[in-house]
Amino acid sequence: MDKDSNKATFLFSGVMVVIIAVLLSVAAISLGPYQQRNIRIEKMENILSSVGIETNPKEAEKFFATYITEQIVLNKKGEAVKGGTPAFDIDLKKELDKAKTGNADKELFPLFICNKDNKSFYIIPVRGKGLWGPIWGYIALEGDMNTVYGVSFGHKSETPGLGAEIETETFQKQFAGKKIFDEKGQFVSVKAVKGGATPENAHGVDAVSGATITSDGVSEMVKRTLSNYVPYFKKTKS
């Protein structure tokens, strides 16, 4: 066969495509378990971060097992669901998406209970939408199931210096001490206030300047996700 012919060129290209595809497939299969483990480790770190426990990939699993004493799966009524998918493995996005298909009554919500300094904290995952993509995080409540102890937020593609500020300590530390229920026991959540929250506002934090849509996204994310846990909080406190 003439090596300079079109047929030879196409044959060579086809063989190379097949070889590269096989190599990529092998790499993906072999690296898959490591990638999944890294995702789990990062999730553990983020959960612990919401209660002020900083760790690293090498110690995350040990710290998680030490501090997270209970993991519960809740239904829409605030009842614990036994069996099925473990709380840690529940995909909150998929659960929240059930409402779009008329299956909101089948949603399941993970709850992590942490024991730190002989005190219990309730850690709730939250998920929503920012300006450019998904935003997510964890909110830790104190034993009264009302006072925010800490938060940990993340994002996919928010603008650096603007919406991406939700990931900074400066923004997140504002949530500490805020209340999700008012004086009458009604759920009101915590809201990012444009222009700044007043010191006496027990339910407000300063919104990120110049990032109104992302700040509103945080407010909506926190309120919508936390509302699913209100039945559990009320049942447990009563």
Side-chain angles (χ1 to χ4, degrees):
M1 182 185 298
D2 185 358
K3 290 189 289 186
D4 294 327
S5 67
N6 289 337
K7 184 177 181 180
T9 300
F10 287 130
L11 180 60
F12 175 78
S13 299
V15 171
M16 290 304 297
V17 168
V18 171
I19 292 174
I20 292 174
V22 170
L23 291 176
L24 289 175
S25 297
V26 171
I29 293 173
S30 60
L31 293 176
Y34 296 100
Q35 293 173 334
Q36 289 303 313
R37 182 177 183 278
N38 288 338
I39 291 173
R40 291 179 63 85
I41 291 296
E42 183 179 15
K43 184 174 180 178
M44 290 178 183
E45 290 180 299
N46 291 333
I47 291 173
L48 293 172
S49 179
S50 68
V51 285
I53 300 173
E54 301 300 329
T55 183
N56 56 63
K58 291 184 178 180
E59 298 184 312
E61 291 179 294
K62 181 182 71 174
F63 276 51
F64 190 84
T66 299
Y67 289 101
I68 304 302
T69 55
E70 190 173 0
Q71 301 182 46
I72 306 173
V73 177
L74 302 173
N75 60 22
K76 291 287 286 187
K77 297 179 180 180
E79 302 166 333
V81 177
K82 302 296 183 181
T85 304
F88 189 87
D89 295 327
I90 285 182
D91 186 330
L92 185 60
K93 179 182 182 303
K94 291 182 179 179
E95 295 302 320
L96 295 174
D97 283 345
K98 288 180 179 178
K100 299 177 182 178
T101 58
N103 294 309
D105 59 322
K106 296 181 180 180
E107 291 175 331
L108 297 175
F109 306 99
L111 175 66
F112 304 92
I113 300 179
C114 170
N115 186 287
K116 175 187 173 186
D117 300 329
N118 293 320
K119 296 180 180 179
S120 293
F121 300 94
Y122 297 83
I123 305 173
I124 300 102
V126 295
R127 187 176 180 88
K129 185 178 180 181
L131 175 60
W132 302 113
I135 55 178
W136 57 82
Y138 295 91
I139 294 182
L141 299 179
E142 295 184 11
D144 61 359
M145 301 181 189
N146 181 25
T147 307
V148 178
Y149 182 74
V151 302
S152 173
F153 295 138
H155 66 90
K156 182 178 181 180
S157 51
E158 297 307 296
T159 307
L162 294 174
E165 291 297 297
I166 66 171
E167 206 169 30
T168 65
E169 181 182 357
T170 300
F171 178 74
Q172 295 178 16
K173 70 181 181 180
Q174 298 182 86
F175 285 78
K178 299 299 179 179
K179 309 289 185 178
I180 66 170
F181 292 96
D182 63 18
E183 295 178 350
K184 296 180 180 180
Q186 298 299 311
F187 173 69
V188 294
S189 188
V190 179
K191 181 178 181 180
V193 181
K194 184 178 181 179
T198 58
E200 63 272 14
N201 188 344
H203 314 289
V205 299
D206 296 346
V208 178
S209 179
T212 301
I213 294 179
T214 303
S215 296
D216 289 345
V218 170
S219 299
E220 190 277 336
M221 169 181 73
V222 171
K223 186 173 185 178
R224 176 171 51 86
T225 312
L226 281 182
S227 67
N228 296 300
Y229 292 81
V230 171
Y232 171 80
F233 295 150
K234 291 187 174 182
K235 286 176 180 289
T236 304
K237 286 193 286 187
S238 64

